[in-house]
Amino acid sequence: MTRVWDRPVRALHWALAASVVAGWVTTEAFGRWHQPVGYAALAIVVARLTWSGFGNRYARFNSFLRSPRATWRYASLALRGHETRHVGHNPLGACMVVALIVCVAALALTGWLYTTDRFWGSETVERFHLGFAWAITGLAVLHVAGVVFASVRHRENLVASMVHGHKRDASDSDID
């Protein structure tokens, strides 16, 4: 077994997931908590971005981000059932990391803008805020589907690895 996800990555992953769920819950019920939850989500994103410069090799964005061409090639291979297993993030998982981080940051920014004098009550800002909220929902569904797909396809429990931090060692056909 290989230690892949260090404690900060795992803690930040689950904290961000919890903050997204809490953001939805506090939209209508417990509304006074919605804004602090949004700021917490933004703080988690900032911490994750910061940790990408200090964490182990699997936590560093430069170790798992791939070019668009490499990502499309991986997606094509995955659709045909011929993709290689990655010990860290696969190229589609890396895209998901970026997409979720960007959406959470944009959601926090639009939420904050909505509290400023200039944009208080702005329908445009509200539409963007809701759009990012729904985008995160869609991305979360795709993320879970991707985790299930990769877990079944490569016969490993990726949810468990995000709890304890370990994955199977790389074989000759795998990629770090």
Side-chain angles (χ1 to χ4, degrees), residues 69-82:
R69 176 178 280 179
T71 303
W72 281 113
R73 184 173 191 289
Y74 178 85
S76 174
L77 290 169
L79 288 172
R80 294 189 313 241
H82 299 295

Side-chain angles (χ1 to χ4, degrees), residues 5 9 12 44-67 89 93-102:
W5 312 122
V9 165
L12 292 167
I44 293 164
V45 164
V46 169
R48 179 60 183 97
L49 291 171
T50 302
W51 190 247
S52 73
F54 298 97
N56 71 19
R57 70 185 263 202
Y58 298 105
R60 295 175 185 259
F61 287 12
N62 64 358
S63 75
F64 63 79
L65 292 178
R66 303 287 187 264
S67 71
H89 287 98
C95 282
M96 184 57 69
V97 169
V98 171
L100 285 167
I101 284 175
V102 167

